[in-house]
Amino acid sequence: PIKFENYHKELSKNFKEKNLNISFLGRLHTELQEERSLILDYLEKNFDNTYFKRFKLNEVNRLTLRDYSNILNDSKIIFSPSGKVWDSVRHSEAAIYKSVPLISKPYCKLSSNINVTEDNSIFYDVKLLNNGFNIVDIDQLSNSINKVLQDEKLYFNKSNLWFQEMSNKNTLFERAKYIVEIIKSHLNKN
């Protein structure tokens, strides 16, 4: 969870004002999540108007929060792969800037009953095949991305539903309430 108020927010750009179709800024963590490189390479080869910045593990020359926020605000779709775990700060950052998250299908129970659906995101699934990862349905992924990029109403619906999901369930305050309820339920059992 993150504090939405910590992020630089000028007026959020609408669909037609956003110049980037897809963006990703971050480390690839290939030792943890090989799918990141696979998906990123696919996106880079098959979509235009993208911005991908891969940081090395110990790289310190990063963007300022303002510059980073401006790129997110300029993106229709934010590639938000799993990090060390499925949950990623980018999931919430996509919501802050009313972008559609391109996210991996959840492979664990999500806290606060977060719901990842085709209505609020674009998600993909990967599988291990011949000692490497492959996208389960590459055509479906491509079609889902293209539909969002070509249909302002679909983009608006998905990005707003994602914003509602994150702001109602994945802020620092909402996550703290979730943890308190779990503690209370365990205390009541004793």
Side-chain angles (χ1 to χ4, degrees):
I2 60 174
K3 292 178 80 171
F4 281 34
E5 58 272 15
N6 286 350
Y7 282 76
H8 171 73
K9 280 194 71 162
E10 297 197 9
L11 291 177
S12 289
K13 292 184 175 184
N14 66 38
F15 181 83
K16 290 182 177 140
E17 295 172 323
K18 291 181 181 256
N19 295 310
L20 298 172
N21 285 333
I22 308 170
S23 70
F24 168 81
L25 295 93
R27 293 187 303 258
L28 289 180
H29 291 297
T30 51
E31 71 286 358
L32 300 172
Q33 301 285 358
E34 292 179 38
E35 84 206 35
R36 287 175 157 216
S37 294
L38 174 72
I39 302 290
L40 201 54
D41 290 345
Y42 174 77
L43 295 173
E44 209 164 32
K45 290 176 188 167
N46 292 284
F47 295 92
D48 59 358
N49 298 329
T50 60
Y51 182 91
F52 301 125
K53 175 66 176 158
R54 298 166 173 93
F55 294 108
K56 293 184 172 82
L57 185 59
N58 296 317
E59 189 172 345
V60 293
N61 294 328
R62 298 199 182 172
L63 299 173
T64 65
L65 183 57
R66 179 181 291 274
D67 289 342
Y68 178 68
S69 297
N70 286 337
I71 291 168
L72 296 177
N73 194 22
D74 205 25
S75 303
K76 293 174 183 160
I77 297 171
I78 294 176
F79 176 45
S80 186
S82 299
K84 294 176 185 169
V85 296
W86 178 85
D87 201 4
S88 171
V89 169
R90 272 183 220 87
H91 298 357
S92 292
E93 290 171 340
I96 291 169
Y97 296 101
K98 299 282 181 84
S99 299
V100 175
L102 173 55
I103 200 166
S104 66
K105 185 176 177 182
Y107 52 77
C108 58
K109 179 182 183 285
L110 304 183
S111 62
S112 304
N113 298 314
I114 292 172
N115 199 10
V116 178
T117 70
E118 291 182 15
D119 291 333
N120 65 15
S121 61
I122 301 168
F123 59 87
Y124 59 90
D125 199 5
V126 294
K127 65 181 173 184
L128 189 60
L129 184 66
N130 300 327
N131 295 325
F133 282 93
N134 289 297
I135 302 167
V136 170
D137 191 340
I138 196 77
D139 292 331
Q140 175 62 35
L141 174 61
S142 184
N143 288 337
S144 295
I145 292 169
N146 281 318
K147 283 180 185 176
V148 168
L149 294 176
Q150 295 167 5
D151 186 340
E152 184 174 355
K153 185 177 178 184
L154 179 62
Y155 157 84
F156 180 79
N157 289 337
K158 282 183 185 272
S159 64
N160 278 321
L161 287 172
W162 187 252
F163 176 81
Q164 291 169 12
E165 192 71 18
M166 291 293 101
S167 61
N168 291 333
K169 297 179 182 175
N170 203 40
T171 62
L172 219 49
F173 179 71
E174 290 302 322
R175 193 66 76 87
K177 282 182 7 185
Y178 172 77
I179 292 169
V180 167
E181 290 304 314
I182 290 173
I183 292 169
K184 282 181 182 178
S185 72
H186 287 289
L187 290 174
N188 290 335
K189 288 179 183 177
N190 299 330

